[in-house]
Amino acid sequence: MHELAIAESIMDIALKAKVDKHLDSIRAVGVRIGVMTDIVPEALEFGFDIIVKDTALDGCCLKIERIPVRGTCRSCRKFIEVEDFVFICPHCASRDLEITQGQELDIAFIEIDDDEDTPVRGMDSNGEENTG
Ligand SMILES: [Zn+2]
C-alpha cells in the first residue's frame, strides 16, 4: 500500500505551499498520474482523505487526472497514443516506440478557497458612482 506514502508526500507539498504562499485554505490538490504507474487512484484518494484529517488540510480533496501513455514512433516519427498497453505503432506497426507520457506523478495545481479570504465590504465605500 505505497499509495499512503505518496499521499503523505502530496500532503507535505501542499502544507508547505500553504505556509510559503500564505494560503488560508486549500480546497483541492490536483495530481497527474500516468496510467503506467502502479498507483491505484482510488487508494490514493482514500489514503489522502484519512491523513489530512485534523491537519491544516482537513476537508481538502484530491483531484486525480489520469495521463494516458503517449509517445513517438522511432520508425515513422508519428505521434502515438498507446491503448490497453499495446506498444505497437498504429501507423507502421513498429514496436520501436519512444514513450514520453504515462509515467507522471506530479502535482498539477492547488485550488484555494478564495471565497473565504475576500470578505465582501461594499457597504462602507464612499459611494462614488461613475455615471460617465
Ligand atoms: Zn510508426
Side-chain angles (χ1 to χ4, degrees):
M1 180 87 181
H2 71 154
E3 279 83 2
L4 206 55
I6 295 163
E8 269 172 15
S9 56
I10 293 168
M11 182 180 71
D12 287 347
I13 292 166
L15 282 172
K16 189 175 182 307
K18 186 176 188 297
V19 173
D20 288 355
K21 297 184 162 65
H22 308 287
L23 306 173
D24 276 351
S25 151
I26 295 178
R27 196 189 315 200
V29 180
V31 290
R32 290 150 47 95
I33 299 174
V35 296
M36 278 170 82
T37 64
D38 60 352
I39 298 162
V40 181
E42 292 76 20
L44 186 59
E45 270 177 29
F46 182 74
F48 189 81
D49 283 352
I50 290 170
I51 60 171
V52 297
K53 282 221 162 59
D54 303 321
T55 72
L57 292 179
D58 199 347
C60 170
C61 70
L62 210 56
K63 290 187 177 174
I64 296 175
E65 183 193 353
R66 297 289 270 162
I67 308 295
V69 184
R70 293 190 180 121
T72 315
C73 172
R74 286 198 182 96
S75 297
C76 70
R77 308 306 302 169
K78 283 190 173 134
F79 174 83
I80 49 139
E81 187 166 317
V82 174
E83 274 168 36
D84 301 322
F85 298 96
V86 179
F87 291 90
I88 298 171
C89 174
H91 307 288
C92 72
S94 168
R95 288 167 188 273
D96 192 8
L97 310 177
E98 187 180 348
I99 300 301
T100 54
Q101 286 185 52
Q103 291 168 313
E104 291 82 356
L105 176 55
D106 306 321
I107 292 193
F109 60 86
I110 287 174
E111 201 173 290
I112 59 165
D113 202 350
D114 52 6
D115 301 342
E116 223 166 66
D117 60 16
T118 50
V120 182
R121 270 185 299 172
M123 296 309 286
D124 57 4
S125 65
N126 57 13
E128 276 182 28
E129 279 184 56
N130 255 334
T131 46

Short mmCIF file of all heavy atoms in Angstrom, two decimals, residues 73-78 80 89-94 97, ligand 1:
data_model
loop_
_atom_site.label_atom_id
_atom_site.label_comp_id
_atom_site.label_asym_id
_atom_site.label_seq_id
_atom_site.Cartn_x
_atom_site.Cartn_y
_atom_site.Cartn_z
N CYS A 73 6.74 7.27 -32.45
CA CYS A 73 7.28 6.07 -33.08
C CYS A 73 8.66 6.41 -33.65
O CYS A 73 8.80 7.40 -34.38
CB CYS A 73 6.34 5.62 -34.19
SG CYS A 73 7.03 4.28 -35.18
N ARG A 74 9.65 5.60 -33.31
CA ARG A 74 11.01 5.87 -33.81
C ARG A 74 11.15 5.51 -35.28
O ARG A 74 12.06 5.99 -35.94
CB ARG A 74 12.04 5.09 -32.99
CG ARG A 74 12.28 5.66 -31.60
CD ARG A 74 13.59 5.15 -31.03
NE ARG A 74 13.81 5.65 -29.67
CZ ARG A 74 13.50 4.96 -28.55
NH1 ARG A 74 12.98 3.75 -28.65
NH2 ARG A 74 13.73 5.47 -27.36
N SER A 75 10.25 4.69 -35.79
CA SER A 75 10.33 4.30 -37.20
C SER A 75 9.71 5.34 -38.12
O SER A 75 10.33 5.79 -39.07
CB SER A 75 9.65 2.95 -37.42
OG SER A 75 10.33 1.96 -36.69
N CYS A 76 8.46 5.73 -37.83
CA CYS A 76 7.78 6.67 -38.74
C CYS A 76 7.67 8.08 -38.16
O CYS A 76 7.16 8.97 -38.82
CB CYS A 76 6.39 6.13 -39.13
SG CYS A 76 5.20 6.14 -37.77
N ARG A 77 8.18 8.28 -36.95
CA ARG A 77 8.24 9.59 -36.28
C ARG A 77 6.86 10.18 -36.00
O ARG A 77 6.72 11.38 -35.79
CB ARG A 77 9.08 10.62 -37.08
CG ARG A 77 10.45 10.17 -37.49
CD ARG A 77 11.29 9.67 -36.34
NE ARG A 77 11.48 10.67 -35.27
CZ ARG A 77 12.00 10.41 -34.08
NH1 ARG A 77 12.37 9.19 -33.78
NH2 ARG A 77 12.15 11.35 -33.19
N LYS A 78 5.82 9.36 -36.04
CA LYS A 78 4.48 9.89 -35.77
C LYS A 78 4.17 9.84 -34.28
O LYS A 78 4.69 8.99 -33.55
CB LYS A 78 3.43 9.09 -36.54
CG LYS A 78 3.39 9.47 -38.01
CD LYS A 78 2.19 8.86 -38.70
CE LYS A 78 2.07 9.39 -40.11
NZ LYS A 78 1.81 8.33 -41.09
N ILE A 80 2.01 8.95 -31.17
CA ILE A 80 1.14 7.80 -30.91
C ILE A 80 0.55 7.87 -29.51
O ILE A 80 1.13 8.47 -28.61
CB ILE A 80 1.90 6.45 -31.05
CG1 ILE A 80 3.22 6.50 -30.26
CG2 ILE A 80 2.16 6.11 -32.49
CD1 ILE A 80 3.50 5.23 -29.54
N CYS A 89 3.08 0.65 -32.89
CA CYS A 89 2.69 1.86 -33.60
C CYS A 89 1.46 1.57 -34.47
O CYS A 89 1.48 0.65 -35.28
CB CYS A 89 3.84 2.36 -34.47
SG CYS A 89 3.36 3.75 -35.52
N PRO A 90 0.38 2.36 -34.31
CA PRO A 90 -0.82 2.12 -35.13
C PRO A 90 -0.63 2.53 -36.59
O PRO A 90 -1.43 2.18 -37.44
CB PRO A 90 -1.88 3.00 -34.45
CG PRO A 90 -1.13 4.02 -33.70
CD PRO A 90 0.21 3.46 -33.35
N HIS A 91 0.46 3.27 -36.89
CA HIS A 91 0.68 3.75 -38.25
C HIS A 91 1.53 2.78 -39.06
O HIS A 91 1.26 2.51 -40.22
CB HIS A 91 1.36 5.12 -38.23
CG HIS A 91 0.62 6.12 -37.38
ND1 HIS A 91 -0.58 6.66 -37.74
CD2 HIS A 91 0.91 6.64 -36.15
CE1 HIS A 91 -1.00 7.48 -36.78
NE2 HIS A 91 -0.12 7.49 -35.81
N CYS A 92 2.59 2.25 -38.44
CA CYS A 92 3.51 1.40 -39.22
C CYS A 92 3.79 0.06 -38.54
O CYS A 92 4.60 -0.72 -39.01
CB CYS A 92 4.83 2.15 -39.48
SG CYS A 92 5.84 2.30 -37.99
N ALA A 93 3.11 -0.20 -37.41
CA ALA A 93 3.22 -1.47 -36.70
C ALA A 93 4.60 -1.71 -36.09
O ALA A 93 4.92 -2.83 -35.68
CB ALA A 93 2.80 -2.65 -37.58
N SER A 94 5.42 -0.67 -36.00
CA SER A 94 6.72 -0.82 -35.35
C SER A 94 6.54 -0.93 -33.84
O SER A 94 5.59 -0.39 -33.27
CB SER A 94 7.58 0.39 -35.68
OG SER A 94 8.73 0.39 -34.85
N LEU A 97 9.13 2.25 -29.98
CA LEU A 97 8.41 3.45 -29.57
C LEU A 97 9.17 4.19 -28.49
O LEU A 97 9.80 3.58 -27.62
CB LEU A 97 7.02 3.08 -29.04
CG LEU A 97 6.17 2.16 -29.92
CD1 LEU A 97 4.87 1.85 -29.22
CD2 LEU A 97 5.92 2.78 -31.28
ZN ZN B 1 5.34 4.09 -36.69
#
